[in-house]
Amino acid sequence: LFWHRASEAAFVPNQEEMTVRYMVDGVVTTREPLTAEEGKALIEYIKPVAGLDPAEVRRPQKGEISADVGSRRIDISVVTAGTTNGQQMQVSILQEIVRQDIEKLGIGEDVLKTVREMNRKPGIIIVSGRSGSGVTSTLYSLLREHDAFMQHLVTLEAKAAVPLENITQNVYGEPSKLEATLAPVLRRDPDVVMIDAVRDHESAELLLEAARTKIILMGMHAEDTFTALAKWAKLCKNAGAAVQNLNGVLCQRMVRNLCTTCREAYKPDPQMLAKANLPANKCEQFY
């Protein structure tokens, strides 16, 4: 798992063997399957290490493992559940799921400079994208741009992705409980607030008021910046108020970064280039 740069691995049993799938750079790849006996032995070994009950083979369980790999400490999430063919297991490397260094997210220099400027003054920054596009990573990295020792940094999350040192993390669980969790958090006068999503008008109103003096980092599920802005205006029920203290709206996509050593070149199809409005005479090869 570590040596193949996989962020997730799934072990799914069928009648004769156990299918193994890795998630590498956002792409699922199927590995050599294990025999049913090998898969069962693997899960039985991992479960007690992750603090799970080996005797429980039906009910879903979740645990964690910390391991030292070379000079790195890696936290691993382990989830098991019963199926008609036996137990299945999903393993996720938390450090790969949520990266916290904004300079390593692949943002262009000009955009990165603008984002950092927005992140220095009170107001709202909306970070949007599809599911699995790295919105949480961007939110965490923006939060990490602030000094956790000199400022009061807080998060509101339905479920904390990873623990953040010197940052107060608040888990609200159900979306209906967000407002009740948000109000007391804002009364403690934090400097920076990161919130993974907003789905109700009452919470939006609280954030609009807080954005006058605080930096608000907000996640949102949207296909593009216009959709994200429209969703925010609808939540606020007042377009003018929605943009009054809005510093910016970001929308991102996950793009696979190919290895320059093992990538394979091919001649692009002229019809495909025409559909993409790309000049065929300037595109000699793709990878």
Side-chain angles (χ1 to χ4, degrees):
L1 180 64
F2 308 117
W3 317 126
H4 289 91
R5 299 188 303 106
S7 59
E8 299 179 21
F11 302 86
V12 182
N14 53 44
Q15 293 181 349
E16 299 179 354
E17 60 187 17
M18 176 166 283
T19 303
V20 180
R21 299 188 184 94
Y22 283 2
M23 177 78 76
V24 182
D25 293 337
V27 178
V28 177
T29 60
T30 301
R31 309 294 301 179
E32 189 73 23
L34 302 174
T35 65
E37 292 77 15
E38 290 172 338
K40 181 180 179 182
L42 174 65
I43 293 176
E44 289 179 348
Y45 174 79
I46 293 293
K47 287 181 74 173
V49 177
L52 307 182
D53 181 6
E56 178 57 69
V57 297
R58 293 182 178 274
R59 183 174 55 86
Q61 299 185 75
K62 183 175 181 179
E64 290 188 5
I65 300 173
S66 292
D68 292 326
V69 180
S71 60
R72 297 175 57 200
R73 183 176 181 83
I74 295 179
D75 299 315
I76 306 163
S77 171
V78 179
V79 178
T80 62
T83 71
T84 55
N85 293 317
Q87 293 187 84
Q88 66 178 5
M89 179 174 68
Q90 183 170 345
V91 180
S92 305
I93 300 178
L94 299 179
Q95 282 85 348
E96 294 298 323
I97 297 173
V98 181
R99 298 181 183 273
Q100 297 176 30
D101 189 343
I102 196 169
E103 293 182 347
K104 296 180 180 179
L105 298 182
I107 303 174
E109 291 185 8
D110 292 343
V111 176
L112 181 58
K113 180 181 178 181
T114 302
V115 170
R116 279 177 161 159
E117 290 174 355
M118 293 191 301
N119 196 26
R120 294 191 187 106
K121 58 184 180 180
I124 297 172
I125 300 176
I126 298 176
V127 181
S128 62
R130 299 174 177 177
S131 296
S133 62
V135 169
T136 303
S137 289
T138 302
L139 287 171
Y140 277 17
S141 65
L142 288 172
L143 188 64
R144 278 297 190 192
E145 287 281 289
H146 298 275
D147 191 332
F149 292 95
M150 300 299 293
Q151 294 178 290
H152 183 194
L153 312 182
V154 302
T155 72
L156 289 102
E157 306 166 78
K159 179 182 177 183
V162 294
L164 301 174
E165 187 178 359
N166 298 317
I167 294 175
T168 305
Q169 293 177 271
N170 300 275
V171 177
Y172 59 84
E174 298 295 328
S176 59
K177 298 179 180 179
L178 174 59
E179 182 197 2
T181 308
L182 176 60
V185 167
L186 294 177
R187 283 197 293 269
R188 299 189 194 106
D189 197 26
D191 298 298
V192 185
V193 179
M194 191 216 88
I195 183 166
D196 60 355
V198 180
R199 299 181 178 88
D200 62 275
H201 172 63
E202 292 74 19
S203 297
E205 280 194 321
L206 290 173
L207 292 171
L208 284 175
E209 180 63 29
R212 298 173 185 270
T213 58
K214 309 177 191 310
I215 296 173
I216 309 295
L217 307 172
M218 182 194 310
M220 185 172 292
H221 184 274
E223 292 286 322
D224 52 62
T225 53
F226 296 103
T227 302
L229 181 59
K231 283 187 173 183
W232 175 237
K234 185 177 180 180
L235 281 170
C236 297
K237 297 182 179 180
N238 184 325
V243 300
Q244 186 174 4
N245 292 300
L246 183 64
N247 289 348
V249 182
L250 312 178
C251 190
Q252 59 192 48
R253 296 288 179 90
M254 186 74 75
V255 178
R256 193 178 191 196
N257 189 15
L258 296 181
C259 173
T260 56
T261 302
C262 60
R263 66 185 182 182
E264 298 179 3
Y266 70 93
K267 181 100 177 144
D269 179 27
Q271 293 184 349
M272 184 272 289
L273 292 174
K275 289 182 179 179
N277 198 27
L278 295 174
N281 61 336
K282 294 184 179 180
C283 299
E284 296 182 1
Q285 61 185 21
F286 280 1
Y287 294 92

